[in-house]
Every structure is written in C-alpha cells, then in structure tokens.
C-alpha cells in the first residue's frame, strides 16, 4: 500500500532540506514512535516502535537532490522517501511517500491503519513546517 502527502514550506528548498535531514532534531517533526540516530555522514539508523513492534531501518541523504530515502533493515516491507522542491518566492514543497508491503497493518489497507498512516503523514509535515518557520523566524507554517 502506498501513502503520499505534500506540504508547502515557508523557506527555500536548501533550508527546508537541511532542517528535515538534521537527525539531531528529527524528533521534533517525525511521529513520536520513530527514533533516528546518525551512524555516518549521510547515513542514519532508525527504530520504529509503532503498534508495539520494533522495526529497524536505515536512512540515506542525498543533499544535492534535496532527498531522503529510508527503508526497513533486512526486509523490503517498508520504504519511503522525502523530496524537497523549490518554489518561486522563497518557498518550497515537501513530498513524503511511504510504501508498505507484507503483513504489516499499513500494507493491508485496513481502515484503522490507513487512517493512522495518513494522519501521521499530515501531522509530520505540519510539524516540519512549524519547525522550519520557527528556525527561519517567520510566523505560521504556510
């Protein structure tokens, strides 16, 4: 099952990407059940504690493309990416795409899991917009 959401951000793409890719502050905008720790430049490990199941993953950054990509460690059951695109006037857009396979609740399309995934995507993008606005000193989140 695929999930995708986008949000306009109140800063240019470089600023937004740098904030989104900062593993030290990702906890401010990611869902609360995900912990990310950088293990090497451009590479991070993540632990997802959703639904009482611990899943480990890895994340890679592509700063020149304003892109983050991640997935489950050892299984193709979960992957995702975040892409930042510049807009005219000093704003940008962030698109987040998630793919769930296998027997995960989000993969089955069950309404409760689907609603949760979609809600968390929107909330995370809203929190990222708030973080960007806070850091660039602009009110609101676009």
């Amino acid at each position: 099952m695929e999930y995708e959401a986008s949000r306009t951000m109140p800063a240019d793409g470089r600023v937004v990407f740098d904030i989104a890719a900062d593993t030290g502050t990702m906890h401010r905008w990611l869902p609360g059940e995900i912990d990310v720790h950088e293990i090497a430049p451009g590479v991070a490990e993540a632990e997802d504690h959703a639904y009482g199941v611990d899943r480990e993953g890895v994340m890679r950054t592509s700063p020149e493309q304003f892109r983050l990509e991640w997935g489950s460690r050892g299984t193709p059951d979960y992957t995702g990416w975040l892409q930042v695109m510049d807009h005219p006037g000093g704003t940008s857009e962030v698109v987040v795409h998630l793919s769930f396979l296998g027997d995960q609740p989000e993969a089955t399309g069950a309404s409760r899991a689907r609603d949760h995934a979609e809600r968390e995507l929107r909330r995370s993008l809203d929190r990222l917009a708030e973080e960007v606005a806070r850091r660039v000193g602009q009110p609101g989140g676009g």
Side-chain angles (χ1 to χ4, degrees):
M1 182 102 192
E2 308 286 321
Y3 301 88
E4 189 169 289
S6 65
R7 178 109 169 37
T8 300
M9 297 288 160
D12 69 55
R14 169 55 57 198
V15 170
V16 172
F17 178 79
D18 288 347
I19 293 168
D22 182 352
T23 58
T25 59
M26 279 184 175
H27 66 279
R28 294 180 185 162
W29 65 271
L30 286 175
E33 62 267 6
I34 300 174
D35 298 315
V36 180
H37 310 285
E38 187 172 36
I39 59 172
V43 180
E45 288 181 326
E47 295 177 15
D48 182 357
H49 309 288
Y51 296 108
V53 176
D54 290 341
R55 295 183 278 200
E56 292 185 2
V58 65
M59 180 186 74
R60 291 189 176 18
T61 61
S62 298
E64 67 285 347
Q65 297 176 0
F66 295 169
R67 188 173 178 91
L68 301 173
E69 296 180 347
W70 59 86
S72 296
R73 184 183 304 265
T75 176
D77 287 354
Y78 170 70
T79 62
W81 51 262
L82 175 147
Q83 181 71 55
V84 181
M85 296 162 288
D86 274 320
H87 280 189
T91 64
S92 58
E93 181 178 5
V94 173
V95 177
V96 178
H97 183 93
L98 304 176
S99 298
F100 293 91
L101 302 171
D103 60 359
Q104 300 173 79
E106 300 90 348
T108 65
S111 63
R112 186 173 179 189
R114 184 182 64 243
D115 291 348
H116 179 261
E118 290 171 349
R119 185 174 50 251
E120 287 304 314
L121 262 177
R122 286 190 309 273
R123 285 182 182 168
S124 292
L125 286 170
D126 287 348
R127 286 191 301 266
L128 178 57
E130 291 167 6
E131 181 68 12
V132 169
R134 187 183 66 75
R135 292 215 210 165
V136 298
Q138 296 179 1

